Amino acid sequence: MTGRAEHDTRTPARLAALLTGITAEAIGAADAFAGGVYLRSSTPGLLRLAVLSGLPGPLFRPWWRLHVDRRFPVADAYRLGVQVVLPDATETMRRYPQFAAGLPFQFGSVYVPVVGGSTVYGVLTLLRPSTSDATTVLPDRDRMAQLAENLGTALRSLEDGDGSPIAWDDEPLCVRPPAAGPPAAPIGRFSWNPATDVVTADNRLRALLGVAPGEAADTPQALVDAVAAADSHHILAALRETAAGRPPPLPLHVHAVDGTLRLLELWTPHDTSVPPGGHPVRGIVLDPAIGSAADKAADLLPEGVFCLDRLGLIVYANPRAAEVLGRPRSELVGRLLWEAVPWMDRPTYEDHLREALLSPHPVHCHVVRPLKDEEKPHADPQGGDWFALSVYPGPDILTCKVIPADRMADPPPEPAPQPGADALADDAPLADGSSAAVTSMAPLYRPIILAIALTEAVTAHQVSAVVMQELLPAFGGRRLAIYLLQDRHLYLAWESGFPKGFLAPFDGVGLDTRLPGVETLTTGRPLFFESMHQLTAAYPGIPLDATEGARAFLPLIASGRPVGSCILGFDRPRDFSTEERTVLTALAGLIAHAMEKAHRYDTEAALARGLQQALLPRRLSGHPRVETVGRYLAGTQGMDVGGDWYDVVESGDGLALVIGDVQGHGVQAAATMGQLRSAVRAFALGDHPPDEVLSGTNRLLIDLDPGLFASCCYIRLDPLTGLAQVARAGHPPPILRYPDGRTHVLDIPGGVVLGVDQHAQYPVTELQLEHGAILALYTDGLVERPGVDIDEGITALRVALARAGSSAGRPAGRPGGRSLAAVADRLTAKARHVADRPDDIALLLTARRPSAGRRP
């Protein structure tokens, strides 16, 4: 988090308090069960989860980091600046299949951008019960929008006060959501004011600690002595750290005088101001000890029963559960499930727990506990004890029931000896004797997500970017290199994470070279090296980029044809399980097919770009009294070519200024554009009036019947008088910048787009272009943004044109001392740096030069 290493710790503390407070308020207001805030990070294009409330952080680690250009709801809300509402799993799958493939559970979600001024800081995210009626979510949207706006304003204030940009680079803060009901265990609350050193405890806490209402417990020392005298030094240090803005990880494990476990949580209130002496500290003391009537009843059950809170903390376990799980109750209660029961820290079981946390329905599966050393001589063929596990979700608590194999209706089947056995560990009959099987889909998520993402990647660069974003994080990799085969040599197509220049000697190596990246392709077998020692033993003398780490070399083969090879690098030595090797090999096949498709696309795109460049004018017709400048930017989606064009044509004793936009992209749009440009030029050279030019072109497009339509703006300009005649066919209106710097969007009446109505009329409007004025014609790609009204984009362009030519004391004819070309570059600069540009952009600027003898 920005500012964590600085001497002033107030900003990080305020930021943490602000984020956790807004998240809690949003969860309560929207009747959600979990939520969080994503913030921008110091890495461009990367969002990080800053706060996660109501869900265990480790279970959702794959979603801690998110690239803004991914097809995910959080990324769309951030990038487009719009709310994204997904009422149920069906709508989620329809709009965001990658996201739904990773979390295919029954829940709804809302995503609201957090904006302060003109800065988008992040996204407020809420997870709520699924609903088939989207209108039930609408009342919550307004409240969420207000909370996101409040958060954005507060972040802007923090940023202005601290002088450094707000960013988040740490792991997320994982906090509990507001309780939906009474606490499941004895719990008390307190507050401490460091300025006065006074502690205020509620009656529940006094009862929990055995302190009578009249007895003193109003100082930190008295409080900690009553909570856990043996750990008083540890608790006092945690109180001071929290007041300084550095709350400890939750929860703190302490022990009462009798040795029973107590949990202590500390935080600062939602407040951006820092009073003298430090932040006020709030806290709770939770006593998960056994004692209630419900607990005593559950202790007598023959089945194992234990309870988790929404952060995965075990808050209760009966004796049978301790026996089945193989841990004493004292080592279960108060600890995270995957820490107390390490053998449950597996992708298959995590998948089921995520489902229980996100959907309201019970989850049933089968788990196997590895045998202890003393039990191994009597091990059964399945290598462990089998249990049926059922998880019943509630608003605050998840109740888990675990039944040993000897109480099942049928014994569990022996697992098939094949790769990916973990995925089949749940294919056992249910405890109720039914024949249904619950199989985890977790091992299949990564291939599904990668496959979906690869369908949207059309170039080799985009395919490589998808592999870097989806494949590396899934397996903890840090380095990636992709080589493609051409003329029996491997050429480097993508690299990330390797030292600069390290891979250069391997670029262009022949297939007869003894290197793992070559041999994995020639043999068709993946190569896995769990350490650099293994790699050097197999390939003595091979250059190394690190002293330790593992490497995976995967062949890229599509339909039996070699495409290239993929190298994954890891910073530390690691094992590759049978399941991982199988999945990585399958993913390599997906990558190979995507790369082969991308190669065909690149070939076709090169032909289309050549066609388009041939159709666009190499130079614009000129006149001594008129200056014109054109700019064209191809879209970055699809075929990367489209139907936008501009032209300047000599028409009698004047000039024809033309701009147009053919619907669609690709070769057909470019070809149609060429036909229309030729038609307009022919009419212009014949010095036809603007309305006749558009009417004739309209009829020609209808006769051609390409299935496309086009917009166009045609202006005939008299260079001597500055009189311009304008006709418009469904095209955005021109913008005029006057010599004094004022700008105006011209209200030009027009007709329908070309290619729709055989008898369409195109009225002509006259205007005057003064010396030193600038006339801007443009296509909608320059002013349209998803989710934003086009009028806002046109207004933004008008303001940019005013600023691009403004400079005090400069001659009117040369605004700001800049050439017309410089003005065109400034107007297209922002769009030029947009990585995901869905539409083409064309811009044509025209200015009249002063007559000879006048001051320029």
Side-chain angles (χ1 to χ4, degrees):
M1 185 164 52
T2 297
R4 187 173 292 273
E6 300 172 1
H7 68 280
D8 184 0
T9 61
R10 292 177 296 176
T11 297
R14 293 179 188 176
L15 181 57
L18 179 65
L19 296 175
T20 54
I22 285 287
T23 302
E25 190 175 353
I27 289 175
D31 195 24
F33 57 79
V37 177
Y38 280 87
L39 288 182
R40 63 185 185 179
S41 69
S42 58
T43 303
L46 183 68
L47 298 177
R48 283 183 176 270
L49 184 61
V51 169
L52 179 62
S53 178
L55 295 173
L59 278 184
F60 294 86
R61 184 180 293 272
W63 296 272
W64 284 9
R65 296 155 45 100
L66 194 65
H67 289 268
V68 298
D69 57 350
R70 293 182 67 182
R71 292 291 188 268
F72 269 49
V74 172
D76 276 1
Y78 178 86
R79 188 178 66 255
L80 304 178
V82 298
Q83 289 189 20
V84 177
V85 178
L86 305 173
D88 55 21
T90 301
E91 182 70 5
T92 304
M93 176 60 76
R94 185 184 71 82
R95 296 177 58 184
Y96 298 98
Q98 293 182 49
F99 177 59
L103 295 171
F105 310 125
Q106 292 297 325
F107 67 95
S109 53
V110 181
Y111 308 86
V112 186
V114 176
V115 183
S118 60
T119 303
V120 182
Y121 290 102
V123 177
L124 176 62
T125 303
L126 293 171
L127 307 184
R128 63 193 316 280
S130 177
T131 175
S132 58
D133 185 4
T135 59
T136 62
V137 187
L138 296 180
D140 298 334
R141 293 179 60 179
D142 294 338
R143 180 59 178 151
M144 295 307 98
Q146 184 61 55
L147 289 173
E149 182 180 344
N150 295 345
L151 178 57
T153 301
L155 292 176
R156 178 66 178 270
S157 178
L158 274 180
E159 190 172 67
D160 292 342
D162 187 59
S164 59
I166 294 291
W168 191 275
D169 293 309
D170 291 341
E171 294 185 354
L173 301 173
C174 297
V175 297
R176 285 181 175 79
I187 186 172
R189 301 179 182 274
F190 69 90
S191 62
W192 170 50
N193 188 338
T196 61
D197 206 33
V198 172
V199 172
T200 303
D202 66 6
N203 290 333
R204 285 186 177 181
L205 180 58
R206 289 178 175 274
L208 174 62
L209 301 180
V211 178
E215 296 182 22
D218 56 358
T219 67
Q221 188 65 56
L223 173 71
V224 300
D225 287 344
V227 173
D231 294 321
S232 61
H233 178 74
H234 179 48
I235 299 176
L236 286 172
L239 284 170
R240 288 192 293 268
E241 287 291 298
T242 304
R246 298 182 295 272
L250 303 180
L252 294 175
H253 295 73
V254 296
H255 292 82
V257 176
D258 60 0
T260 59
L261 177 71
R262 280 177 175 159
L263 307 177
L264 178 65
E265 297 188 7
L266 302 173
W267 69 93
T268 56
H270 174 196
D271 187 7
T272 58
S273 61
V274 182
H279 289 276
V281 176
R282 303 287 186 267
I284 63 172
V285 178
L286 174 69
D287 189 352
I290 313 303
S292 70
D295 292 342
K296 291 177 181 178
D299 284 352
L300 302 178
L301 294 175
E303 296 90 359
V305 177
F306 62 97
C307 299
L308 310 173
D309 71 1
R310 294 201 64 84
L311 295 190
L313 196 75
I314 302 176
V315 296
Y316 167 76
N318 71 356
R320 184 56 172 153
E323 179 183 345
V324 170
L325 297 177
R327 300 294 297 272
R329 295 172 79 180
S330 60
E331 296 181 10
L332 292 174
V333 178
R335 301 187 183 278
L336 294 172
L337 175 64
W338 37 89
E339 293 177 354
V341 191
W343 52 268
M344 290 196 71
D345 186 13
R346 299 169 63 181
T348 303
Y349 306 150
E350 290 179 353
D351 174 33
H352 293 306
L353 187 54
R354 277 192 289 264
E355 181 178 3
L357 286 162
L358 294 176
S359 61
H361 307 296
V363 175
H364 307 281
C365 63
H366 287 80
V367 298
V368 58
R369 186 194 72 186
L371 296 177
K372 300 178 182 179
D373 291 340
E374 61 271 18
E375 298 173 318
K376 288 182 179 177
H378 308 286
D380 62 14
Q382 296 159 354
D385 288 334
W386 282 84
F387 306 98
L389 176 66
S390 298
V391 184
Y392 300 89
D396 300 316
I397 296 295
L398 282 71
T399 301
C400 307
K401 181 176 69 175
V402 58
I403 304 175
D406 58 9
R407 291 183 58 84
M408 293 182 186
D410 296 295
E414 296 189 11
Q418 58 181 318
D422 283 350
L424 305 176
D426 303 322
D427 289 338
L430 298 179
D432 61 6
S434 64
S435 60
V438 180
T439 303
S440 171
M441 293 292 290
L444 301 178
Y445 286 168
R446 192 53 54 184
I448 292 173
I449 293 174
L450 184 62
I452 295 172
L454 287 175
T455 61
E456 300 178 357
V458 293
T459 67
H461 181 88
Q462 292 172 345
V463 171
S464 301
V466 166
V467 175
M468 184 185 71
Q469 294 173 12
E470 299 291 350
L471 187 60
L472 281 186
F475 293 90
R478 297 290 184 181
R479 294 170 170 83
L480 171 69
I482 295 180
Y483 287 85
L484 298 181
L485 181 64
Q486 183 179 350
D487 298 330
R488 296 190 58 80
H489 288 76
L490 286 174
Y491 294 93
L492 184 63
W494 179 279
E495 65 170 309
S496 175
F498 287 92
K500 185 177 181 179
F502 172 76
L503 296 177
F506 304 103
D507 191 15
V509 296
L511 294 185
D512 56 350
T513 308
R514 190 173 187 274
L515 289 171
V518 174
E519 294 191 355
T520 188
L521 180 62
T522 56
T523 63
R525 292 183 292 104
L527 301 175
F528 298 94
F529 300 96
E530 298 176 354
S531 66
M532 287 297 187
H533 176 73
Q534 284 189 1
L535 179 59
T536 55
Y539 295 88
I542 187 174
L544 302 178
D545 62 304
T547 57
E548 59 179 356
R551 292 291 180 270
F553 297 85
L554 308 175
L556 302 183
I557 300 175
S559 302
R561 295 185 298 275
V563 175
S565 60
C566 176
I567 304 172
L568 303 180
F570 304 84
D571 287 344
R572 296 182 178 86
R574 58 158 294 169
D575 297 332
F576 293 95
S577 67
T578 301
E579 181 185 37
E580 287 179 319
R581 294 174 185 240
T582 302
V583 171
L584 283 171
T585 303
L587 294 181
L590 292 177
I591 298 168
H593 280 282
M595 280 295 184
E596 188 179 48
K597 181 187 71 174
H599 177 70
R600 292 195 302 268
Y601 168 87
D602 288 339
T603 301
E604 295 173 3
L607 293 174
R609 282 192 294 269
L611 171 63
Q612 186 182 47
Q613 291 300 320
L615 294 175
L616 286 173
R618 293 182 178 272
R619 67 177 185 85
L620 300 177
S621 299
H623 189 281
R625 304 284 290 276
V626 177
E627 181 179 5
T628 57
V629 171
R631 293 289 183 269
Y632 176 83
L633 300 178
T636 57
Q637 295 180 2
M639 187 58 78
D640 208 27
V641 293
D644 290 20
W645 91 94
Y646 60 86
D647 206 349
V648 178
V649 187
E650 295 181 7
S651 181
D653 57 358
L655 288 179
L657 312 174
V658 189
I659 195 160
D661 182 2
V662 176
Q663 170 215 17
H665 300 273
V667 176
Q668 184 179 11
T672 302
M673 177 267 285
Q675 291 172 312
L676 293 186
R677 175 174 175 260
S678 298
V680 172
R681 286 185 66 90
F683 285 120
L685 290 171
D687 199 15
H688 291 272
D691 56 335
E692 293 184 12
V693 173
L694 292 186
S695 297
T697 307
N698 175 51
R699 290 191 293 271
L700 173 65
L701 182 58
I702 292 174
D703 290 341
L704 291 174
D705 192 22
L708 301 175
F709 58 83
S711 67
C712 184
C713 184
Y714 182 94
I715 300 177
R716 188 189 186 284
L717 174 66
D718 186 334
L720 299 179
T721 65
L723 181 65
Q725 295 177 311
V726 186
R728 197 160 62 96
H731 201 81
I735 300 176
L736 180 62
R737 184 189 186 278
Y738 297 98
D740 59 5
R742 292 179 298 115
T743 53
H744 182 60
V745 179
L746 300 177
D747 185 14
I748 305 293
V752 298
V753 293
L754 306 175
V756 174
D757 181 4
Q758 180 86 22
H759 305 290
Q761 299 295 315
Y762 300 97
V764 177
T765 303
E766 293 187 349
L767 61 92
Q768 187 69 35
L769 186 62
E770 304 175 41
H771 293 294
I774 299 176
L775 182 65
L777 304 179
Y778 52 93
T779 57
D780 55 11
L782 189 58
V783 293
E784 272 191 331
R785 285 188 303 162
V788 179
D789 191 271
I790 190 173
D791 289 338
E792 294 184 24
I794 294 175
T795 300
L797 178 62
R798 179 184 62 77
V799 173
L801 179 60
R803 291 174 177 173
S806 63
S807 182
R810 298 289 185 179
R814 304 292 284 180
R818 300 186 184 96
S819 67
L820 199 62
V823 174
D825 290 337
R826 286 175 64 88
L827 295 181
T828 56
K830 184 177 181 180
R832 196 180 300 275
H833 293 91
V834 174
D836 191 16
R837 191 170 56 248
D839 203 358
D840 311 325
I841 291 173
L843 174 68
L844 179 63
L845 299 182
T846 303
R848 288 183 65 215
R849 295 190 179 100
S851 60
R854 292 185 57 182
R855 182 177 177 179

